[in-house]
Amino acid sequence: MRPRSLVTGVVSAGLSLSLAAAFGPAPEPATAGERPPTSSYAEQARALLRTMSPKQKVGQLFVIEVAGRDANVVTDEAKAVNQRLYGVDTPAEAIAKYQPGGVIYFTIRNGDDNIGDPAQVATLSNGLQRAARSLPGRIPLQISVDQEGGALVARFGAASGATQMPGNMALGATGSTGAARRSATVIGTELAAVGVTQDYAPVADVNVNPNNPVIGIRSIGADPALVSDLVAAQVRGFHRGGVTAVAKHFPGHGDTGVDSHYGLPEVTHTRAQLEAIDLPPFRAAIAAGVDTIMTAHVVLPAIDPGVPATMSHKILTGLLRKQLGFDGLIVTDALDMSGATATYPPDVAPVRALRAGADQLLIPPQMDTAYRAVLRAVRQGVITRKRLDASVYRILLHKLRQGLFDDPYVDPVAAARVMGAPEHQAAAQAISDRTTTLVENESGLLPLAAGPRRVLVAGWGATTTQTLATALAARGATTQVLESGTTPTQEAVDAAAAAAQDADLVVVTTNNAYAVDATTGEPAAPAAAQTRLVRALLATGTPVVVAAVRNPYDVASFPEAPTVLDTYGYTASQLESLVRVMFGEVRPSGRLPVSIPGPRGSGELFEIGHGLGY
């Protein structure tokens, strides 16, 4: 049993495959710090490919979810989920049935419940690998997870013991490639310790739409150059940590007004805009050695009108493979998302994605249907054997290069020491201290002096408001917490305003107070309610600090607020950083990685790079 550490070059730029003949690459010259030439990997992949049946090859195309915290012994609840999805009881039986190429971990999605403490996850990973290695071919699994960092998409949350690194837009506020690389290295190191081999990160989308309902702070920002630099740094960091990286969502999900989990967005960028805005981060990821790129369920009329990118040969093969020169793995976004299922039935979507150029099919909504459809397409020649072998070759080569055939197992005891290690927690706090952005400080309220004062902590987030209150109390404050949720009622607004009358200071948190209802163009109900709360508190005359703890656009809903800070997330370290900045223990150094529109989208309230200091 050995730790997997991907030294520079283990995951090479684009895999440099030549699949035209025999599906094999030419030998690559080795440079300092790199692995030996990859001809041996190619030979092994080709040899294994020749031994595989069509069913085994088709199985390798799929990345599935499984329910339960152990490969063989699961709860009745997990058993019911596995029965519903696959007609089997346990994760190991699902592996035996389909011989999939990969598994993805989740917490509450579909009742999967894969993630507990580090030793448990490591044991689950080992059990799944043993199940895969007991099958003909002894092909190990790629075990994946969505661990982007930050408060939104982190399957390994605080309860798992994993270090909660600040998310992408917070990293964008630092403008630091070093911070981005270090953050990804920590995440990768912890994931590798529990047997995860691949992280579906970094997000390479350029968030140029303030009303984007699904990306937002998952993006580094609105500047393609900044996003490109930090995406490349993250790719290198993940590899250094011991997992492979996945740049997503190609060709770009940053200018959408629809969440592809629930509908099919359209990106109306011209080809020139695509080249200037959306593609640079993916080019940078490829140059940095990213080995996998995830597709987006978005329509790009400038290239292929009416066809989601996941199903588009023009986008996946024409644009990504031929024009960008990417020869690595292409994985679809989850095929059970409405962006895929609303257009293509369960037996059509996987076949269309493969014919478009995808290699891996992530979470089809009906696995039996999808598996049979692909196998039938292969047998009928709709998917040629050459096309099938090209994808399976890439998958096998990826696993060989990662060392999974040599030893896919991890040490559960060591995993508990690595995940959440003190040096990782220290890195999370140090990076977070560089992210908080002071947007407004008109009255010079900040920095605060430590000492006795009555502070009302109001607004969004039960944990968030209580964490802030605890940190304020540690600095001498007497606190009152009135958490009012995502959509404060008028009663809650009135109660907060009344409590503010008796306070010396109010700290109010907002979460998406700029969100717009896509159907009406008006502020969404939660945004309107949060705005009412902030304005009611401002009207009391008590000094108010507004902290936007998610998207930084909130200030556009209450531009009259004199004191505003952005945190870009609400992990414990980000909230601690917020309080440190408020008290001047840390100087505010974060800079807006996006521009802030004026009220109701008019003009520009703050430009990219804005940020005040002390």
Side-chain angles (χ1 to χ4, degrees):
M1 189 176 300
R2 63 174 178 79
R4 285 189 298 277
S5 178
L6 300 182
V7 296
T8 302
V10 170
V11 184
S12 70
L15 295 182
S16 300
L17 306 179
S18 174
L19 296 170
F23 308 107
E28 297 174 356
T31 58
E34 290 190 336
R35 66 186 185 285
T38 60
S39 57
S40 61
Y41 295 131
E43 291 164 3
Q44 291 176 63
R46 286 196 300 268
L48 182 55
L49 191 62
R50 287 192 293 268
T51 70
M52 296 172 67
S53 69
K55 287 184 176 181
Q56 287 177 301
K57 292 176 181 178
V58 168
Q60 283 297 304
L61 303 175
F62 288 94
V63 180
I64 68 172
E65 58 183 329
V66 292
R69 294 191 176 186
D70 186 88
N72 299 289
V73 180
V74 297
T75 64
D76 289 343
E77 291 79 6
K79 184 183 298 184
V81 174
N82 290 321
Q83 278 289 341
R84 174 170 55 84
L85 294 176
Y86 310 124
V88 300
D89 289 343
T90 69
E93 290 172 342
I95 301 303
K97 179 175 181 179
Y98 300 107
Q99 302 185 55
V103 167
I104 181 171
Y105 285 161
F106 286 105
T107 46
I108 60 174
R109 184 189 194 276
N110 273 338
D112 289 352
D113 190 28
N114 302 136
I115 299 171
D117 61 65
Q120 171 268 313
V121 180
T123 301
L124 171 61
S125 298
N126 288 343
L128 293 173
Q129 294 288 12
R130 288 190 186 96
R133 297 277 281 170
S134 69
L135 300 171
R138 296 179 55 79
I139 303 173
L141 291 166
Q142 182 185 73
I143 299 179
S144 306
V145 75
D146 290 289
Q147 190 76 5
E148 297 173 4
L152 291 187
V153 183
R155 309 306 183 200
F156 285 85
S160 72
T163 303
Q164 304 302 292
M165 302 303 293
N168 273 344
M169 195 169 285
L171 294 172
T174 72
S176 169
T177 56
R181 184 174 58 252
R182 176 59 176 153
S183 177
T185 300
V186 168
I187 293 172
T189 300
E190 296 194 354
L191 293 180
V194 297
V196 173
T197 68
Q198 182 181 62
D199 192 7
Y200 286 147
V203 173
D205 304 315
V206 182
N207 200 81
V208 293
N209 187 343
N211 297 320
N212 194 320
V214 64
I215 302 300
I217 60 170
R218 297 171 63 194
S219 164
I220 288 164
D223 177 3
L226 175 67
V227 176
S228 298
D229 289 345
L230 270 61
V231 161
Q234 286 178 294
V235 168
R236 296 185 179 101
F238 286 125
H239 291 174
R240 180 177 296 181
V243 299
T244 61
V246 180
K248 62 185 185 185
H249 309 79
F250 188 83
H253 211 316
D255 192 8
T256 56
V258 174
D259 185 340
S260 54
H261 291 86
Y262 308 108
L264 180 58
E266 183 174 272
V267 178
T268 58
H269 287 183
T270 65
R271 183 55 193 262
Q273 289 174 314
L274 185 71
E275 291 288 350
I277 299 170
D278 301 288
L279 295 184
F282 291 100
R283 293 185 187 276
I286 293 169
V290 76
D291 56 328
T292 308
I293 290 178
M294 178 180 282
T295 70
H297 301 322
V298 300
V299 173
L300 190 62
I303 294 184
D304 201 355
V307 182
T310 300
M311 316 296 174
S312 171
H313 189 272
K314 291 180 179 179
I315 292 175
L316 298 191
T317 299
L319 179 59
L320 182 54
R321 289 264 187 242
K322 295 182 179 179
Q323 295 181 36
L324 271 64
F326 180 65
D327 265 337
L329 289 172
I330 298 176
V331 60
T332 70
D333 205 345
L335 290 176
D336 63 355
M337 294 165 57
S338 290
T341 60
T343 310
Y344 300 98
D347 62 333
V348 175
V351 175
R352 282 293 301 262
L354 286 168
R355 295 185 68 189
D359 301 302
Q360 293 181 298
L361 306 169
L362 178 62
I363 319 177
Q366 297 175 19
M367 182 59 188
D368 281 346
T369 299
Y371 182 89
R372 287 195 299 264
V374 173
L375 187 60
R376 182 171 60 249
V378 170
R379 288 172 171 168
Q380 294 176 350
V382 176
I383 296 173
T384 67
R385 294 297 176 96
K386 181 178 180 180
R387 173 69 193 87
L388 174 66
D389 284 358
S391 285
V392 178
Y393 176 86
R394 288 190 184 97
I395 294 166
L396 296 175
L397 184 59
H398 172 92
K399 293 176 180 181
L400 284 162
R401 289 184 162 187
Q402 202 175 356
L404 296 179
F405 279 88
D406 298 328
D407 183 3
Y409 305 111
V410 293
D411 182 353
V413 176
R417 294 194 299 267
V418 172
M419 187 161 274
E423 60 269 28
H424 295 169
Q425 300 288 355
Q429 189 61 62
I431 295 172
S432 295
D433 284 346
R434 301 169 61 186
T435 64
T436 303
T437 303
L438 181 58
V439 179
E440 287 275 28
N441 195 24
E442 287 181 6
S443 59
L445 175 63
L446 302 180
L448 301 170
R453 59 167 55 85
R454 295 167 298 172
V455 182
L456 169 65
V457 182
W460 174 85
T463 301
T464 296
T465 52
Q466 188 56 59
T467 300
L468 287 175
T470 300
L472 290 163
R475 290 158 174 86
T478 300
T479 61
Q480 178 184 6
V481 176
L482 289 178
E483 196 273 335
S484 51
T486 304
T487 310
T489 63
Q490 189 58 51
E491 181 181 13
V493 170
D494 293 342
Q501 300 282 0
D502 296 324
D504 301 312
L505 176 71
V506 175
V507 178
V508 57
T509 57
T510 62
N511 182 325
N512 269 359
Y514 186 72
V516 171
D517 186 326
T519 61
T520 66
E522 297 296 319
Q530 290 184 50
T531 299
R532 285 194 296 271
L533 172 64
V534 171
R535 287 180 168 161
L537 292 169
L538 292 172
T540 65
T542 301
V544 176
V545 176
V546 182
V549 297
R550 186 170 168 176
N551 291 331
Y553 308 108
D554 290 6
V555 65
S557 294
F558 33 78
E560 68 274 22
T563 311
V564 179
L565 296 121
D566 291 337
T567 65
Y568 315 99
Y570 39 90
T571 67
S573 63
Q574 288 175 294
L575 296 176
E576 174 64 21
S577 172
L578 169 64
V579 177
R580 289 181 179 186
V581 167
M582 287 171 56
F583 282 88
E585 300 163 10
V586 169
R587 292 177 181 269
S589 59
R591 299 292 180 264
L592 288 174
V594 296
S595 61
I596 308 300
R600 303 184 71 82
S602 61
E604 186 176 79
L605 193 62
F606 298 103
E607 62 183 10
I608 291 178
H610 170 80
L612 304 176
Y614 297 146

